[in-house]
Amino acid sequence: MGLVLICVCSKTHSLKGLARGGAQIFSCIIPECLQRAVHGLLHYLFHTRNHTFIVLHLVLQGMVYTEYTWEVFGYCQELEFSLYYLLLPYLLLVVNLFFFTLTCVTNPGIITKANELLFLHVYEFDEVMFPKNVRCSTCDLRKPARSKHCSVCNWCVHRFDHHCVWVNNCIGAWNIRYFLIYLLTLTASAATVAIVSTTFLVHLVVMSDLYQETYIDDLGHLRVMDTVFLIQYLFLTFPRIVFMLGFVVVLSFLLGGYLLFVLYLAATNQTTNEWYRGDWAWCQRCPLVAWPPSAEPQVHRNIHSHGLRSNLQEIFLPAFPCHERKKQE
């Protein structure tokens, strides 16, 4: 990992030059009106609050469950699969939609004039990544430790993690617990649909002895049914099921990888913002890169991690301003 980061750091300036050169080439080829349209669309999708990805999320989820209900569920019932096994994806869907809604509508920990002083006492300043007495240039509020101004939502968020376009909200101290459960149930539901669909297709192949069948290839030779031909046969027979299976399998791996990353951050009491900034600070101290002369670099340490139990408790039982007010009184 260290070698990879060193290589990335050493190539930073050359990559920036290539990117600028590539942008200039594309600006000559693509008409200016099309460039403005694409830029405007990307700005709307990723730099303004909108419900596009929420709608896309629900449409994709609805398409997967419609196909599962329309074909997989019915075929599995005919093959006498356990009803509890078949209903598990629906249970996960209900739980997922509940926490999806909570993640969308819950205040992530917006910092205002009214609660600014209360948030300043929640976390200790490390004087490296989060120095004291710094004001937000946009909100003109004193920035509590671990906070960040979200350029999309245009407000400062307590214990800012990231802005998630899929929920059209920031992920902060007060909704990170809902986001974790949402992500966990989404991964589990995709994996469960994939497992049930795969089990159905394997059961079908075994019952019909398809793997023992033979076919004649293009050269007229008799061949035993191999895996590639079997998948092609299943795709022609059940195209929607195989396509859905491929989609949820890829989705399960992507979500699973991201879930592991988020659980690692939770276990070590880091946010995505802090992890990213910490890695970038490491790159700036890389000895293979010639950076402008500056003062002796300060090393960022994670001073907020106090053991697995305490870290998880902080996420699932976050401190609220009202609690802090009672303590001060």
Side-chain angles (χ1 to χ4, degrees), residues 246-322:
F247 174 74
V248 292
V249 165
V250 173
L251 186 64
S252 298
F253 279 106
L254 293 176
L255 289 173
Y258 181 57
L259 176 63
L260 291 176
F261 170 69
V262 172
L263 291 176
Y264 161 74
L265 294 181
T268 56
N269 203 341
Q270 297 183 78
T271 64
T272 304
N273 176 53
E274 293 164 0
W275 174 84
Y276 172 77
R277 291 176 65 183
D279 270 7
W280 180 243
W282 189 95
C283 286
Q284 288 182 314
R285 296 192 303 273
C286 178
L288 299 183
V289 180
W291 298 94
S294 60
E296 183 179 348
Q298 295 177 293
V299 180
H300 168 69
R301 293 186 303 107
N302 182 9
I303 63 173
H304 305 293
S305 181
H306 304 290
L308 179 61
R309 181 178 178 180
S310 177
N311 294 342
L312 294 179
Q313 183 177 357
E314 182 179 312
I315 288 177
F316 289 97
L317 297 172
F320 287 85
C322 57

Coordinates of all heavy atoms in Angstrom, one line a residue, residues 246-322:
G246 N -26.8 -11.1 -12.9 CA -25.5 -10.4 -13.2 C -25.4 -9.0 -12.5 O -24.4 -8.7 -11.9
F247 N -26.5 -8.3 -12.6 CA -26.6 -7.0 -12.0 C -26.4 -7.0 -10.5 O -25.6 -6.3 -9.9 CB -27.9 -6.3 -12.4 CG -28.1 -4.9 -11.7 CD1 -27.4 -3.8 -12.1 CD2 -29.0 -4.8 -10.7 CE1 -27.5 -2.6 -11.5 CE2 -29.2 -3.6 -10.0 CZ -28.4 -2.5 -10.4
V248 N -27.2 -7.9 -9.8 CA -27.1 -7.9 -8.3 C -25.8 -8.5 -7.8 O -25.4 -8.2 -6.7 CB -28.4 -8.7 -7.7 CG1 -29.6 -7.9 -8.0 CG2 -28.5 -10.1 -8.3
V249 N -25.2 -9.4 -8.6 CA -23.9 -10.0 -8.2 C -22.9 -8.9 -8.2 O -22.1 -8.7 -7.3 CB -23.5 -11.1 -9.1 CG1 -22.0 -11.5 -9.0 CG2 -24.3 -12.4 -8.8
V250 N -22.8 -8.1 -9.3 CA -21.8 -7.0 -9.4 C -22.1 -6.0 -8.3 O -21.2 -5.5 -7.6 CB -21.9 -6.3 -10.8 CG1 -21.0 -5.1 -10.8 CG2 -21.4 -7.3 -11.8
L251 N -23.4 -5.7 -8.1 CA -23.8 -4.7 -7.1 C -23.4 -5.2 -5.7 O -23.0 -4.4 -4.8 CB -25.3 -4.5 -7.1 CG -25.9 -3.4 -6.2 CD1 -25.3 -2.0 -6.6 CD2 -27.4 -3.4 -6.3
S252 N -23.6 -6.5 -5.4 CA -23.2 -7.1 -4.1 C -21.8 -6.9 -3.8 O -21.4 -6.5 -2.7 CB -23.6 -8.5 -4.1 OG -25.0 -8.7 -4.2
F253 N -20.9 -7.1 -4.8 CA -19.5 -7.0 -4.6 C -19.1 -5.5 -4.4 O -18.3 -5.2 -3.5 CB -18.7 -7.6 -5.8 CG -18.5 -9.0 -5.7 CD1 -19.3 -9.9 -6.6 CD2 -17.6 -9.6 -4.8 CE1 -19.1 -11.3 -6.5 CE2 -17.5 -11.0 -4.8 CZ -18.2 -11.8 -5.6
L254 N -19.7 -4.6 -5.2 CA -19.4 -3.2 -5.0 C -19.8 -2.7 -3.6 O -19.1 -2.0 -2.9 CB -20.1 -2.4 -6.1 CG -19.5 -2.6 -7.5 CD1 -20.3 -1.8 -8.5 CD2 -18.1 -2.2 -7.6
L255 N -21.1 -3.0 -3.3 CA -21.6 -2.6 -2.0 C -20.9 -3.2 -0.8 O -20.6 -2.6 0.2 CB -23.1 -2.9 -1.9 CG -24.0 -2.1 -2.8 CD1 -25.5 -2.6 -2.7 CD2 -24.0 -0.6 -2.4
G256 N -20.5 -4.5 -1.0 CA -19.8 -5.2 0.0 C -18.4 -4.6 0.3 O -18.0 -4.4 1.5
G257 N -17.7 -4.2 -0.8 CA -16.4 -3.6 -0.6 C -16.6 -2.2 0.1 O -15.8 -1.9 1.0
Y258 N -17.6 -1.5 -0.3 CA -17.8 -0.2 0.3 C -18.2 -0.3 1.8 O -17.8 0.5 2.6 CB -18.8 0.6 -0.5 CG -19.0 2.0 0.1 CD1 -18.0 2.9 0.3 CD2 -20.3 2.4 0.5 CE1 -18.2 4.2 0.8 CE2 -20.5 3.7 1.0 CZ -19.5 4.5 1.2 OH -19.7 5.8 1.7
L259 N -19.0 -1.3 2.0 CA -19.5 -1.6 3.4 C -18.3 -1.9 4.3 O -18.2 -1.4 5.5 CB -20.5 -2.7 3.4 CG -21.0 -3.2 4.8 CD1 -21.7 -2.0 5.5 CD2 -21.9 -4.4 4.7
L260 N -17.4 -2.7 3.8 CA -16.2 -3.0 4.6 C -15.4 -1.8 4.9 O -14.8 -1.6 6.0 CB -15.3 -4.1 3.9 CG -15.9 -5.5 3.8 CD1 -15.0 -6.4 2.9 CD2 -16.1 -6.1 5.1
F261 N -15.3 -0.9 3.9 CA -14.5 0.3 4.1 C -15.2 1.2 5.2 O -14.6 1.8 6.1 CB -14.4 1.1 2.8 CG -13.9 2.5 2.9 CD1 -12.6 2.7 3.3 CD2 -14.8 3.6 2.7 CE1 -12.1 4.0 3.4 CE2 -14.3 4.9 2.8 CZ -12.9 5.1 3.2
V262 N -16.6 1.3 5.1 CA -17.3 2.1 6.1 C -17.2 1.5 7.5 O -17.1 2.3 8.5 CB -18.8 2.3 5.6 CG1 -19.6 2.9 6.7 CG2 -18.9 3.1 4.3
L263 N -17.3 0.2 7.6 CA -17.1 -0.5 8.9 C -15.7 -0.2 9.5 O -15.6 -0.1 10.7 CB -17.4 -2.0 8.8 CG -18.9 -2.3 8.5 CD1 -19.0 -3.8 8.3 CD2 -19.8 -1.8 9.6
Y264 N -14.7 -0.2 8.6 CA -13.4 0.1 9.1 C -13.3 1.5 9.6 O -12.7 1.7 10.7 CB -12.4 -0.1 7.9 CG -11.1 0.6 8.1 CD1 -10.1 0.1 9.0 CD2 -10.8 1.8 7.5 CE1 -8.9 0.8 9.2 CE2 -9.6 2.5 7.7 CZ -8.6 2.0 8.6 OH -7.5 2.6 8.8
L265 N -13.9 2.5 8.9 CA -13.9 3.8 9.4 C -14.6 3.9 10.8 O -14.2 4.6 11.7 CB -14.6 4.8 8.4 CG -13.9 4.9 7.1 CD1 -14.7 5.9 6.2 CD2 -12.4 5.5 7.3
A266 N -15.8 3.2 10.9 CA -16.5 3.2 12.1 C -15.7 2.6 13.3 O -15.7 3.1 14.4 CB -17.9 2.5 12.0
A267 N -15.1 1.5 13.0 CA -14.3 0.8 14.1 C -13.1 1.7 14.5 O -12.7 1.5 15.7 CB -13.8 -0.5 13.6
T268 N -12.6 2.5 13.7 CA -11.4 3.3 14.0 C -11.8 4.8 14.3 O -10.9 5.6 14.5 CB -10.4 3.3 12.9 OG1 -11.0 3.7 11.7 CG2 -9.8 1.9 12.7
N269 N -13.1 5.1 14.3 CA -13.6 6.4 14.6 C -13.0 7.4 13.7 O -12.5 8.5 14.1 CB -13.4 6.8 16.1 CG -14.3 7.9 16.5 OD1 -14.9 8.6 15.7 ND2 -14.5 8.0 17.8
Q270 N -13.1 7.2 12.4 CA -12.7 8.1 11.4 C -13.9 8.4 10.5 O -14.9 7.6 10.4 CB -11.6 7.6 10.5 CG -10.3 7.2 11.2 CD -9.3 6.8 10.2 OE1 -8.7 7.5 9.4 NE2 -9.1 5.4 10.1
T271 N -13.9 9.6 9.8 CA -14.9 9.9 8.8 C -14.2 9.7 7.4 O -12.9 9.7 7.3 CB -15.4 11.3 9.0 OG1 -14.3 12.2 8.8 CG2 -16.0 11.5 10.4
T272 N -15.0 9.7 6.4 CA -14.4 9.6 5.0 C -13.6 10.9 4.7 O -12.5 10.8 4.1 CB -15.6 9.5 4.0 OG1 -16.4 8.3 4.3 CG2 -15.0 9.4 2.6
N273 N -14.1 12.0 5.2 CA -13.4 13.3 5.0 C -12.0 13.2 5.7 O -11.0 13.6 5.1 CB -14.2 14.4 5.6 CG -13.5 15.7 5.5 OD1 -13.0 16.2 4.5 ND2 -13.4 16.4 6.7
E274 N -11.9 12.7 6.9 CA -10.7 12.6 7.7 C -9.7 11.6 7.1 O -8.5 11.8 7.0 CB -11.0 12.3 9.1 CG -11.7 13.4 9.9 CD -12.3 12.9 11.2 OE1 -12.2 11.7 11.5 OE2 -13.0 13.7 11.9
W275 N -10.3 10.5 6.6 CA -9.4 9.5 6.0 C -8.8 10.0 4.7 O -7.6 9.8 4.5 CB -10.3 8.2 5.7 CG -9.6 7.2 4.9 CD1 -8.8 6.2 5.4 CD2 -9.6 7.0 3.5 NE1 -8.3 5.4 4.4 CE2 -8.8 5.9 3.2 CE3 -10.2 7.7 2.4 CZ2 -8.6 5.4 1.9 CZ3 -10.0 7.2 1.1 CH2 -9.2 6.1 0.9
Y276 N -9.6 10.7 3.9 CA -9.1 11.3 2.6 C -8.0 12.3 2.9 O -7.0 12.3 2.3 CB -10.3 11.9 1.8 CG -9.8 12.6 0.6 CD1 -9.4 11.9 -0.5 CD2 -9.8 14.0 0.6 CE1 -9.0 12.6 -1.7 CE2 -9.4 14.7 -0.5 CZ -9.0 14.0 -1.6 OH -8.6 14.7 -2.7
R277 N -8.3 13.2 3.8 CA -7.4 14.3 4.1 C -6.1 13.7 4.8 O -5.0 14.2 4.6 CB -8.0 15.3 5.0 CG -9.1 16.1 4.4 CD -9.8 17.1 5.3 NE -8.9 18.1 5.8 CZ -9.2 19.0 6.7 NH1 -10.4 19.0 7.2 NH2 -8.3 19.9 7.1
G278 N -6.2 12.7 5.6 CA -5.1 12.0 6.2 C -4.2 11.4 5.2 O -2.9 11.5 5.2
D279 N -4.8 10.7 4.2 CA -4.0 10.1 3.1 C -3.3 11.2 2.2 O -2.1 11.0 1.8 CB -4.8 9.2 2.2 CG -4.9 7.8 2.7 OD1 -4.3 7.6 3.8 OD2 -5.4 6.9 2.0
W280 N -4.0 12.3 2.0 CA -3.4 13.4 1.2 C -2.2 14.0 2.0 O -1.2 14.4 1.4 CB -4.5 14.4 0.8 CG -3.9 15.5 0.0 CD1 -3.9 16.9 0.4 CD2 -3.4 15.5 -1.3 NE1 -3.3 17.6 -0.6 CE2 -3.0 16.8 -1.7 CE3 -3.1 14.4 -2.2 CZ2 -2.4 17.1 -2.9 CZ3 -2.5 14.7 -3.4 CH2 -2.2 16.0 -3.7
A281 N -2.4 14.2 3.3 CA -1.3 14.7 4.1 C -0.1 13.8 4.0 O 1.1 14.3 4.0 CB -1.8 14.9 5.5
W282 N -0.3 12.5 4.0 CA 0.8 11.5 3.9 C 1.5 11.7 2.5 O 2.7 11.7 2.5 CB 0.3 10.1 4.0 CG 1.3 9.1 4.0 CD1 1.9 8.5 5.2 CD2 2.1 8.5 2.9 NE1 2.8 7.6 4.9 CE2 3.0 7.5 3.5 CE3 2.0 8.6 1.6 CZ2 3.8 6.8 2.7 CZ3 2.9 7.8 0.8 CH2 3.8 7.0 1.4
C283 N 0.7 12.0 1.5 CA 1.3 12.2 0.1 C 2.2 13.5 0.1 O 3.2 13.5 -0.5 CB 0.2 12.3 -0.9 SG -0.5 10.7 -1.3
Q284 N 1.7 14.5 0.8 CA 2.5 15.7 0.9 C 3.8 15.6 1.6 O 4.7 16.4 1.4 CB 1.6 16.8 1.6 CG 0.5 17.3 0.7 CD -0.3 18.4 1.4 OE1 -0.6 18.3 2.6 NE2 -0.6 19.5 0.7
R285 N 3.9 14.6 2.5 CA 5.2 14.4 3.2 C 6.1 13.3 2.4 O 7.1 12.9 2.9 CB 4.9 13.8 4.6 CG 4.2 14.8 5.5 CD 4.2 14.4 6.9 NE 3.7 13.1 7.1 CZ 2.4 12.8 7.3 NH1 1.5 13.8 7.3 NH2 2.0 11.6 7.5
C286 N 5.6 12.9 1.2 CA 6.4 11.9 0.5 C 7.7 12.4 0.1 O 7.8 13.5 -0.5 CB 5.6 11.4 -0.7 SG 6.4 10.2 -1.7
P287 N 8.8 11.7 0.4 CA 10.2 12.2 0.1 C 10.5 12.3 -1.3 O 11.5 12.9 -1.8 CB 11.1 11.3 0.9 CG 10.3 10.0 1.0 CD 8.9 10.4 1.1
L288 N 9.7 11.5 -2.2 CA 10.1 11.5 -3.6 C 9.5 12.6 -4.4 O 9.7 12.7 -5.6 CB 9.6 10.1 -4.2 CG 10.2 8.9 -3.5 CD1 9.6 7.6 -4.3 CD2 11.7 8.9 -3.6
V289 N 8.7 13.4 -3.8 CA 8.0 14.5 -4.5 C 8.6 15.9 -4.0 O 8.8 16.1 -2.8 CB 6.5 14.5 -4.2 CG1 5.8 15.7 -5.0 CG2 5.9 13.2 -4.7
A290 N 8.9 16.7 -5.0 CA 9.5 18.0 -4.6 C 8.4 19.0 -4.4 O 7.7 19.5 -5.3 CB 10.4 18.5 -5.8
W291 N 8.1 19.3 -3.1 CA 7.0 20.2 -2.8 C 7.6 21.6 -2.4 O 8.8 21.7 -2.0 CB 6.2 19.7 -1.6 CG 5.5 18.4 -1.9 CD1 5.9 17.2 -1.6 CD2 4.2 18.3 -2.5 NE1 5.0 16.2 -2.1 CE2 3.9 16.9 -2.6 CE3 3.3 19.2 -3.0 CZ2 2.8 16.4 -3.2 CZ3 2.1 18.7 -3.6 CH2 1.9 17.3 -3.6
P292 N 6.9 22.7 -2.4 CA 7.4 24.0 -2.0 C 7.9 23.9 -0.6 O 7.4 23.2 0.2 CB 6.2 24.9 -2.2 CG 5.3 24.2 -3.1 CD 5.5 22.7 -2.9
P293 N 9.0 24.7 -0.3 CA 9.5 24.7 1.1 C 8.5 25.2 2.1 O 7.8 26.2 1.8 CB 10.8 25.6 1.0 CG 10.5 26.4 -0.2 CD 9.7 25.6 -1.2
S294 N 8.4 24.6 3.2 CA 7.5 25.0 4.2 C 8.0 24.7 5.6 O 9.1 24.2 5.7 CB 6.1 24.4 4.0 OG 6.2 23.0 4.1
A295 N 7.3 25.0 6.6 CA 7.7 24.7 8.0 C 7.7 23.1 8.1 O 7.2 22.4 7.3 CB 6.8 25.3 9.0
E296 N 8.3 22.7 9.3 CA 8.4 21.3 9.5 C 7.0 20.7 9.5 O 6.1 21.2 10.2 CB 9.0 21.1 10.9 CG 9.2 19.6 11.3 CD 9.9 19.4 12.6 OE1 10.4 20.5 13.2 OE2 9.9 18.3 13.1
P297 N 6.7 19.6 8.8 CA 5.4 19.1 8.6 C 4.9 18.5 10.0 O 5.6 17.9 10.7 CB 5.5 18.0 7.6 CG 7.0 17.6 7.6 CD 7.7 18.9 8.0
Q298 N 3.6 18.7 10.2 CA 3.0 18.1 11.4 C 2.2 16.9 11.0 O 1.5 16.8 10.0 CB 1.9 19.1 12.0 CG 2.6 20.4 12.5 CD 1.6 21.4 13.0 OE1 0.8 21.9 12.3 NE2 1.5 21.6 14.3
V299 N 2.4 15.8 11.8 CA 1.9 14.5 11.5 C 0.5 14.4 12.1 O 0.3 14.7 13.3 CB 2.8 13.4 12.0 CG1 2.2 12.0 11.7 CG2 4.2 13.5 11.4
H300 N -0.5 14.1 11.3 CA -1.9 13.9 11.8 C -2.0 12.6 12.5 O -1.6 11.5 12.0 CB -2.9 14.0 10.7 CG -4.3 13.6 11.1 ND1 -5.0 14.3 11.9 CD2 -5.0 12.5 10.7 CE1 -6.2 13.7 12.1 NE2 -6.2 12.6 11.4
R301 N -2.6 12.6 13.7 CA -2.9 11.4 14.5 C -4.4 11.4 14.8 O -5.0 12.4 15.0 CB -2.1 11.3 15.8 CG -0.6 11.2 15.6 CD 0.1 11.0 17.0 NE -0.2 12.1 17.9 CZ -1.0 12.0 19.0 NH1 -1.7 10.8 19.2 NH2 -1.2 13.0 19.8
N302 N -4.9 10.2 14.8 CA -6.3 10.0 15.1 C -6.5 10.0 16.6 O -6.2 9.0 17.3 CB -6.8 8.7 14.5 CG -8.3 8.5 14.8 OD1 -9.0 9.4 15.2 ND2 -8.8 7.3 14.5
I303 N -6.9 11.1 17.2 CA -7.0 11.3 18.6 C -8.4 11.0 19.1 O -8.7 11.0 20.3 CB -6.6 12.7 19.0 CG1 -7.6 13.7 18.4 CG2 -5.2 13.0 18.7 CD1 -7.4 15.1 19.0
H304 N -9.3 10.6 18.2 CA -10.7 10.4 18.6 C -11.0 8.9 18.7 O -12.1 8.6 19.1 CB -11.6 11.0 17.5 CG -11.3 12.4 17.3 ND1 -11.6 13.4 18.2 CD2 -10.8 13.1 16.2 CE1 -11.2 14.6 17.7 NE2 -10.8 14.4 16.5
S305 N -10.1 8.0 18.4 CA -10.4 6.6 18.6 C -10.1 6.1 20.0 O -8.9 6.3 20.5 CB -9.5 5.8 17.6 OG -9.8 4.4 17.7
H306 N -11.1 5.6 20.7 CA -10.9 5.1 22.1 C -11.3 3.7 22.3 O -11.9 3.4 23.3 CB -11.7 6.1 23.0 CG -11.4 7.5 22.8 ND1 -10.2 8.0 23.3 CD2 -12.0 8.5 22.3 CE1 -10.1 9.3 23.0 NE2 -11.3 9.7 22.4
G307 N -11.1 2.8 21.3 CA -11.5 1.4 21.4 C -12.7 1.2 20.6 O -13.6 2.1 20.4
L308 N -12.9 -0.1 20.2 CA -14.0 -0.5 19.3 C -15.4 -0.1 19.9 O -16.2 0.4 19.3 CB -13.9 -2.0 19.0 CG -15.0 -2.5 18.1 CD1 -15.0 -1.8 16.7 CD2 -14.9 -4.0 17.9
R309 N -15.5 -0.5 21.2 CA -16.9 -0.3 21.8 C -17.2 1.1 21.9 O -18.3 1.6 21.6 CB -16.8 -1.0 23.2 CG -18.2 -0.8 24.0 CD -18.1 -1.6 25.3 NE -19.3 -1.4 26.0 CZ -19.6 -1.9 27.2 NH1 -18.6 -2.6 27.8 NH2 -20.7 -1.7 27.8
S310 N -16.2 1.9 22.4 CA -16.5 3.4 22.5 C -16.7 4.0 21.2 O -17.6 4.9 21.0 CB -15.3 4.0 23.2 OG -15.4 5.4 23.3
N311 N -16.0 3.6 20.1 CA -16.2 4.2 18.8 C -17.5 3.9 18.2 O -18.2 4.8 17.7 CB -15.1 3.6 17.8 CG -13.7 4.1 18.2 OD1 -13.5 5.0 19.0 ND2 -12.7 3.4 17.7
L312 N -18.0 2.7 18.4 CA -19.3 2.3 17.9 C -20.4 3.0 18.7 O -21.5 3.4 18.1 CB -19.5 0.8 17.9 CG -18.6 0.0 17.0 CD1 -18.9 -1.5 17.1 CD2 -18.8 0.4 15.5
Q313 N -20.2 3.1 20.0 CA -21.2 3.8 20.8 C -21.3 5.3 20.4 O -22.4 5.8 20.4 CB -20.7 3.7 22.3 CG -21.7 4.3 23.3 CD -21.3 4.2 24.7 OE1 -20.3 3.6 25.0 NE2 -22.1 4.7 25.6
E314 N -20.2 5.9 20.0 CA -20.3 7.3 19.6 C -21.1 7.4 18.3 O -21.8 8.4 18.1 CB -18.8 7.8 19.3 CG -18.8 9.2 18.9 CD -17.3 9.7 18.7 OE1 -16.5 9.4 19.6 OE2 -17.0 10.3 17.7
I315 N -21.1 6.4 17.4 CA -21.8 6.5 16.2 C -23.3 6.2 16.4 O -24.2 6.9 15.9 CB -21.3 5.5 15.2 CG1 -19.9 5.9 14.7 CG2 -22.2 5.2 14.0 CD1 -19.2 5.0 13.7
F316 N -23.6 5.2 17.2 CA -25.0 4.8 17.4 C -25.7 5.6 18.5 O -26.9 5.6 18.6 CB -25.1 3.3 17.7 CG -24.8 2.5 16.4 CD1 -23.6 2.0 16.2 CD2 -25.8 2.3 15.5 CE1 -23.3 1.2 15.0 CE2 -25.6 1.6 14.3 CZ -24.3 1.0 14.1
L317 N -24.9 6.2 19.4 CA -25.5 7.1 20.5 C -24.8 8.4 20.4 O -24.0 8.8 21.3 CB -25.3 6.4 21.8 CG -26.1 5.1 22.0 CD1 -25.7 4.5 23.4 CD2 -27.6 5.3 22.0
P318 N -25.0 9.2 19.4 CA -24.2 10.5 19.2 C -24.7 11.5 20.3 O -25.8 11.5 20.8 CB -24.6 10.9 17.8 CG -25.9 10.3 17.6 CD -25.9 9.0 18.3
A319 N -23.8 12.5 20.5 CA -24.1 13.6 21.4 C -24.9 14.6 20.7 O -24.6 15.0 19.6 CB -22.8 14.2 21.9
F320 N -26.0 15.0 21.4 CA -26.9 16.1 20.8 C -26.7 17.4 21.6 O -26.3 17.3 22.8 CB -28.3 15.6 20.9 CG -28.7 14.6 19.9 CD1 -28.5 13.2 20.2 CD2 -29.2 14.9 18.7 CE1 -28.8 12.2 19.3 CE2 -29.6 13.9 17.8 CZ -29.3 12.6 18.1
P321 N -26.9 18.5 21.0 CA -26.8 19.8 21.7 C -27.5 19.8 23.0 O -27.1 20.4 24.0 CB -27.3 20.8 20.7 CG -27.0 20.2 19.4 CD -27.3 18.7 19.6
C322 N -28.8 19.3 23.0 CA -29.6 19.3 24.3 C -28.9 18.6 25.4 O -28.9 19.0 26.5 CB -31.0 18.8 24.0 SG -31.0 17.1 23.4

